[in-house]
């Protein structure tokens, strides 16, 4: 929206602003000049009904009443109970609000006119929106009276949106978001294009495959009188189906993999097919015990299609609609690995490549492009806004006025008490004067003490110590520690009371003018209340708020202060966004209650009807569920329940919620953060410079300890020391003080080290050592030949790297010299790894105590995974990326420090609230269990949740899991169910704990966006430095575009070359005209869209005529593509044809189509590794030609440029994945997951048994899909009789947390920064081209004016570039 349109819209918002209306209106003068004189052909401004309506809507209380009614209207919407019958009082309230808004519309329509007048009712967009809602409500009433959609009142739920048009800050924010819609629509087109392509691919490859089940090969119920399921079901039933592959050569799961039948916990091993005709004698299998039962699962040996798909039939590729839903879920990265495992079991192991590519392109690239476009467009639009949204300003002013009023009243009260009115005023005044003389110097001394730095720092030390005492509290702590901590708490409370009293004596009521003092006052009062009333429990948790005093420490950390200022600015600017997000959540919650209320119920194993915890049965749980969907945590299970209980069309609700809430509103927050970082330099610059000067001046202290060192050297001035020192200084450039720079052997070593072949050979050995690391796994037999080869290779590689280090040390020197070995940090890293390898070999050969040797060997084996670090120095691009990452440690460290402070605050608060309460009874039927005693008496197990708040380290680990947004909902449910210490959890026992968890998640969203802002700013600075250091090459597309502009009618003074088609024959000229016309492109676009639509009609179990239609249409479209390629080949010639990339794409599609027809007709599908029908999907790539619109092409260039620039990022990803995969194999390769001891996250598809599976598991962790369950499996208690690794409980959280930080928070955000930089460069190139086009066009117009001869009409197309892609400029000069 342009500035003119925006100003016009703002003028339309207030059409009733009076312009000094005269008291007595003469004829021809209007009271409201901005409005129409006459409306409805009869009502003038002086007519009584209209005059009254004008006076009503011009009154400011009319707007206030309207806003109040909108807010009050939310009350009956939130009181709606879907599980109960409609309350008549609520219906009466709804009718009242409907009548009010209808009356409001009528009054405005009468006053302003409906349409066609200046300032009329429908000329305002927000009035149009009100009219739309009222019309929809009337339609709802009509449909309800007819018995159609009686329970769904969509338009009624939209009533709160009226508030947007009545609150200026929200109105401005919404208009800014509307401005981003054109660019957002282009991103949406790319997004739909991407999902449709892979939806068609999924239908072609996996239609009906997820229905495969292992059915009985014989009629067991009739033949053996045994009740069995028609097909095999796992212990988890439909939640985890056994999907088999019908083709024995393909797929990863077959009916032969069905586990044995179990009965009463005993694994059956008898083969029923060995039973005799009488049915009495059974022959046990080899090795089976005599009391074994019959393994009936052997009869599940027929794999065929069933009637059900996984997860209530939602996950499948049977038609394009379900394929869209499934691909959309994969792109959101929630539950995508489960879909991939299903497809791998049913189709092929290599199916993971398709879905992995979908996650990379869809989530890592396309979704981040969407975020970058919204954030960038929002920032640019907000720069043009003069009135920034400040919704919190009004509330802030009210609070300040209230505080000043209270202080003023207290001041007057004190003055009244001080001034006496009795007869003894003279004695009182004398007494008062004496006290004043004594108090004044005392007060001045107290002021100096209170205002001194020593006092402030002493209080800060006391705060830190008090926080430390709170932090060491934990569950099951000794009674002595509890008593000591209680006394310490009383001591610190006394200290803070004294501090508060001193400040009150000095400052009096001015004490309350500082927000920090008010905060301290509240904390001190709470602490006193806790001590005096001997309160325990929730009130004691408020002591954790003392930690927020750490904000005072930022005066000593200027860079951290800058980050906090950015955070403060972000929170201020995001106030209107938070309000809009709250209203969007409320509207979707009310809509969800109307659509899905009381429909998410299921029957438990005990026969009870239980409501799913993610439900829409009330406003509270509906809003919690909507917030959960916005975080994308387990939103797919809500989708499954909704589609199973209502209709498949309910998926639109979740898609709309995720697209609007997650990808639009929350990405606007990213834009606000980025804009705040761009304005970071102007934030409190003077304070930052002052603090920096102070820190620098403090470093320049004249009393430097170096003076003492020099004095000590003079004192220790012995002659022999001086001789040794002179000898060393004279031989400083000598290697080992033995080999001089002119030594032949050293020169030979220098020649060897500086040779390129030396580096290439070392790099080859490094890569080979990485291969051997990847081949190592715990399952190798120690006495096998493979293990012997790996051991020998380790010795060889260690020897080679030792020789390399020796050559470099001899050639460069060790520690002294200009270019010595240890001056490079990369050489120090190489040398350390070589020494560790030698120590590992030495320790392995020693005959030490077995326990000590195993411990040392394990540590050294773990350090062996760091060998790939040597690659950094020898790969320049990787080295550059690592150095850039190291450069960003400082700003990232500040964000980590802020995150750590908030983690510490919420961790201490969580320990105070939940310590000892995250225990539960694990047994068959725990409905009657209330505490630990009942559980143990019933022979059940009293278990502790893996993620709990029993101590601060446990709390920090749980909070980090929540921070990553994976598994936070389950932790929240555990907190809501917590009753007390040694108490059995009760569902939703304390709903107030939602405040703790939801507030932490809101803070985490802000902090995650701060991570993005830091990475974008750091990446931008690195790119700017790189542009300054090296001259960037000229963009090839810019040269092509310039020469295209020359051929398109903007000639330079030099003469144009003769067109290449000048000597064509008439027939070829006609073909050329056709190929370069817009008609051919439009015709082929229609053909491509038709072919894609026909491909989308394909579905599972389709009729024969649909199959024939698909086949014949494929032949027709292939023939049309062949004709088009031949025409272009004749028109442009071979050389020009192959220079156009779009022509090459067309040729590849034609060749692939012909090959697929040949393979299909000759029935050679089994001869190739892929399904020939998948080759038909290549036609969908021709849809890319439809995306030639300028803005979409700009996005495509941004994506391509991003992919071309993320080479360093790919190297970083590969590097970190390799190291962590090798460490994972060493640490977790022996973890056992069986049916008796099952795992939650680890299974046959996700484990660390070998390097390949470790890479796949780490990619799952990188996407954030159920990684918390994997870490939970590594933290399990050791089973009795098993040799478990004792240090996993300490190493595992560090391993997974560090990987999640690097992968999810750093590297992925680097991709966002790269996309934002690419989009910025594309926009700069676009603006540069516009500037270059303007003088050319003006010069061309001047030449047209000076030349009276009319220019000949151009040929139908002077260049094939005009319709197809642009040809390289060298071919314009070739002729």
């Amino acid at each position: 929206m342009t500035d003119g349109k925006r100003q016009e819209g703002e003028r339309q918002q207030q059409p009733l602003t009076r312009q000094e209306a005269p008291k007595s209106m003469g004829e021809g003068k209007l009271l409201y000049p901005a409005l129409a004189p006459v409306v409805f052909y009869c009502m003038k401004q002086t007519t009584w009904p209209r005059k009254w309506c004008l006076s009503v809507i011009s009154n400011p209380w009319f707007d206030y009443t309207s806003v109040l009614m909108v807010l009050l209207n939310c009350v009956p919407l939130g009181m709606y109970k879907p599980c109960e019958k409609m309350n008549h009082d609520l219906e009466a309230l709804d009718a009242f609000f409907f009548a009010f808004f209808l009356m409001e519309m009528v009054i405005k329509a009468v006053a302003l006119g409906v349409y066609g007048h200046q300032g009329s009712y429908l000329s305002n967009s927000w009035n149009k929106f009100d009219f739309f809602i009222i019309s929809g409500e009337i339609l709802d009433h009509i449909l309800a009276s007819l018995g159609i959609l009686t329970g769904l009142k969509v338009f009624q739920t939209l009533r709160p949106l009226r508030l947007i048009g009545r609150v200026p800050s929200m109105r401005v924010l919404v208009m800014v978001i509307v401005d981003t819609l054109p660019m957002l629509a282009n991103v949406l087109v790319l997004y739909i294009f991407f999902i449709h392509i892979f939806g068609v691919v999924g239908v072609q490859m996996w239609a009906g495959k997820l229905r495969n089940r292992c059915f009985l090969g014989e009629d067991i119920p009739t033949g053996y009188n045994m009740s069995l399921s028609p097909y095999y079901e796992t212990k988890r039933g439909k939640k985890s189906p056994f999907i088999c592959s019908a083709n024995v050569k393909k797929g990863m799961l077959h009916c032969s993999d069905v586990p044995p039948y179990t009965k009463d916990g005993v694994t059956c091993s008898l083969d029923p097919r060995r039973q005799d005709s009488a049915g009495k004698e059974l022959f046990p299998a080899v090795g089976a015990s005599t009391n074994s039962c019959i393994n009936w699962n052997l009869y599940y040996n027929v794999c065929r299609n069933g009637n059900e798909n996984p997860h209530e039939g939602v996950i499948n590729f049977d038609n394009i609609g379900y394929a869209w839903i499934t691909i959309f879920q994969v792109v959101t990265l929630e539950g995508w690995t489960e879909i991939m495992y299903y497809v791998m079991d049913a189709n092929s192991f290599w199916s993971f490549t398709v879905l992995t590519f979908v996650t990379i392109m869809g989530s890592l690239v396309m979704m981040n492009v969407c975020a970058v476009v919204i954030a960038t467009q929002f920032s640019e639009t907000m720069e043009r806004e003069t009135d920034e949204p400040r919704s919190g300003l009004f509330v802030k002013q009210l609070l300040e006025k209230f505080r000043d009023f209270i202080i003023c009243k207290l001041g007057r009260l004190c003055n009244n008490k001080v001034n006496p009115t009795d007869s003894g005023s003279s004695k009182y005044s004398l007494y008062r004067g004496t006290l004043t003389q004594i108090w004044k110097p005392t007060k001045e001394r107290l002021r100096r003490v209170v205002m001194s730095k020593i006092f402030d720092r002493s209080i800060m030390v006391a705060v830190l110590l008090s926080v430390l005492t709170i932090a060491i509290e934990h569950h099951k702590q000794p009674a002595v520690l509890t008593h000591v901590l209680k006394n310490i708490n009383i001591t610190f409370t006394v200290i803070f009371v004294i501090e508060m009293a001193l400040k009150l004596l000095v400052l009096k009521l001015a004490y309350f003018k500082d927000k920090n003092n008010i905060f301290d006052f509240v904390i001190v009062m709470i602490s006193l209340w806790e001590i005096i009333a001997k309160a325990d429990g929730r009130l004691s948790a408020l002591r954790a708020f003392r930690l927020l005093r750490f904000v005072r420490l930022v005066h000593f950390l200027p860079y951290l202060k800058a980050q906090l200022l950015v955070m403060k600015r972000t929170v201020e600017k995001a106030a209107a966004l938070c309000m809009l997000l709250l209203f969007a959540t409320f509207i979707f919650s009310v809509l969800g209650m109307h659509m899905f209320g009381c429909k998410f119920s299921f029957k438990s194993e005990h026969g009870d009807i239980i409501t799913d915890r993610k439900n829409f049965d009330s406003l509270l749980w509906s809003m919690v569920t909507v917030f959960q969907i916005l975080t994308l945590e387990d939103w797919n299970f809500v989708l499954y329940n909704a589609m199973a209980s209502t209709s498949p069309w309910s998926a639109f609700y979740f898609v709309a919620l995720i697209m609007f809430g997650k990808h639009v509103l929350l990405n606007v927050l990213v834009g606000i953060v980025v804009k705040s970082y761009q304005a970071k330099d102007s934030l409190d610059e003077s304070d930052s410079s002052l603090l920096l000067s102070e820190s620098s001046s403090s470093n320049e202290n004249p009393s430097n300890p170096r003076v003492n060192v020099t004095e000590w050297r003079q004192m220790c001035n012995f002659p022999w020391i001086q001789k040794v020192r002179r000898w060393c200084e004279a031989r400083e450039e000598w290697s080992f003080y033995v080999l001089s720079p002119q030594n032949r052997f050293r020169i030979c070593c220098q020649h060897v080290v500086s040779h390129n072949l030396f580096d290439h050979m070392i790099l080859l050995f490094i890569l080979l050592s990485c291969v051997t690391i990847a081949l190592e796994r715990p399952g190798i037999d120690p006495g096998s030949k493979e293990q012997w080869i790996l051991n020998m290779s380790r010795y060889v590689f260690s020897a080679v790297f030792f020789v390399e280090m020796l050559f470099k040390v001899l050639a460069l020197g060790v520690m002294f010299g200009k270019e010595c070995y240890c001056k490079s940090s990369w050489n120090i890293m190489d040398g350390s790894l070589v020494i560790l390898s030698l120590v590992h070999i030495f320790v392995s050969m020693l005959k030490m105590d077995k326990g000590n040797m195993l411990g040392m060997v394990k540590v050294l084996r773990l350090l062996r995974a760091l060998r790939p670090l040597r690659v950094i120095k020898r790969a320049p691009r990787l080295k550059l990326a690592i150095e850039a990452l190291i450069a960003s440690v400082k700003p990232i460290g500040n964000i980590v420090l802020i995150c750590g402070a908030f983690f510490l605050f919420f961790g201490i608060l969580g320990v105070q609230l939940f310590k000892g309460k995250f225990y539960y009874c694990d047994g068959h039927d725990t409905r009657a269990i209330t505490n630990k005693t009942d559980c143990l008496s019933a022979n059940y197990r009293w278990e502790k949740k893996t993620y709990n708040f029993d101590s601060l380290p446990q709390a920090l680990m749980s909070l980090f899991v929540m921070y990553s947004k994976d598994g936070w909902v389950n932790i929240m449910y555990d907190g809501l169910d917590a009753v007390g210490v040694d108490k059995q959890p009760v569902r939703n026992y304390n709903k107030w704990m939602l405040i703790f968890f939801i507030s932490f998640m809101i803070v985490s969203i802000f902090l995650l966006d701060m991570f993005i802002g830091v990475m974008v700013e750091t990446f931008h600075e690195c790119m700017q430095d790189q542009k300054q250091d090296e001259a960037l090459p000229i963009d090839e597309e810019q040269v092509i575009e310039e020469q295209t502009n020359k051929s398109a009618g903007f000639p330079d003074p030099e003469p144009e070359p003769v067109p290449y088609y000048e000597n064509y024959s008439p027939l070829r000229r006609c073909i050329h005209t056709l190929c370069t016309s817009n008609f051919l492109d439009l015709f082929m676009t229609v053909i491509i869209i038709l072919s894609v639509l026909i491909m989308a009609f394909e579905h599972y179990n389709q009729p024969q005529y649909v199959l024939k239609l698909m086949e014949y249409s494929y032949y027709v479209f292939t023939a049309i593509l062949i004709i088009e390629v031949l025409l272009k080949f004749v028109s442009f010639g071979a050389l020009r044809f192959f220079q156009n990339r779009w022509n090459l794409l067309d040729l590849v599609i034609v060749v692939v189509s012909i090959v697929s027809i040949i393979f299909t007709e000759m029935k050679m599908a089994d001869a190739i590794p892929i399904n020939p029908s998948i080759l038909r999907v290549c036609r969908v790539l021709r849809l890319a030609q439809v995306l030639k619109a300028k803005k979409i092409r700009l996005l495509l260039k941004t994506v391509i440029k991003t992919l071309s620039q993320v080479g360093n990022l790919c190297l970083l990803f590969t590097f970190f994945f390799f190291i962590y995969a090798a460490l994972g194999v060493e640490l977790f390769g022996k973890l056992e997951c069986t049916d008796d001891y099952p795992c939650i996250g680890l299974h046959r598809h996700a484990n660390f048994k070998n390097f390949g599976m470790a890479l796949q598991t780490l990619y799952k962790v990188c996407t954030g899909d159920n990684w918390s369950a994997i870490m939970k499996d590594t933290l399990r208690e050791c089973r009795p009789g098993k040799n478990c690794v004792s240090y996993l409980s300490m190493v595992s959280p560090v391993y997974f947390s560090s990987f999640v930080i690097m992968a999810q928070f750093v590297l992925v955000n680097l991709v966002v920064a790269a996309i934002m930089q690419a989009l910025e460069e594309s926009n700069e190139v676009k603006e540069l081209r516009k500037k270059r086009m303007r003088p050319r066009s003006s010069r061309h117009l001047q030449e047209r004016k000076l030349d009276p001869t009319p220019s000949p009409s151009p040929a139908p197309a002077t260049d094939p570039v005009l319709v197809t892609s642009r040809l390289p400029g060298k071919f314009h000069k070739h002729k």
Side-chain angles (χ1 to χ4, degrees), residues 451-521:
M451 297 302 175
S452 65
K453 289 185 178 180
I454 298 176
F455 182 81
D456 190 25
R457 293 179 180 178
S458 301
I459 295 299
M460 293 308 301
V461 171
V463 169
L464 293 177
L465 292 177
S466 67
V467 169
L468 182 62
T469 57
I470 301 174
I472 62 177
E473 290 187 20
H474 57 277
H475 180 52
K476 294 182 180 179
Q477 63 186 8
V480 178
L481 179 61
T482 304
H483 181 70
V484 170
L485 292 178
K486 183 178 180 181
N487 294 331
I488 292 175
N489 178 40
I490 296 174
T491 304
F492 282 119
T493 302
V494 172
I495 292 174
F496 297 138
V497 169
I498 295 173
E499 177 213 7
M500 183 185 70
L502 291 176
K503 286 186 176 181
L504 282 173
L505 287 174
V506 172
L507 302 176
K508 293 184 178 180
L509 294 178
Y511 175 85
F512 295 100
K513 291 185 178 181
D514 188 358
K515 298 177 182 177
N516 295 324
N517 291 337
I518 297 175
F519 179 77
D520 294 345
F521 179 81

Side-chain angles (χ1 to χ4, degrees), residues 269-271 274-275 281-293:
S269 57
L270 294 180
D271 189 351
R274 297 187 180 185
Q275 189 177 7
E281 185 179 359
L282 292 172
F283 298 94
V286 178
S289 59
T290 55
N291 59 351
S292 297
C293 51

Side-chain angles (χ1 to χ4, degrees), residues 1030-1044:
E1030 55 185 25
L1032 295 178
I1034 300 176
D1035 193 0
E1036 183 181 353
E1037 293 185 2
Q1038 184 176 342
V1039 178
I1040 296 171
E1041 191 71 23
E1042 289 179 1
Q1043 300 194 3
T1044 302

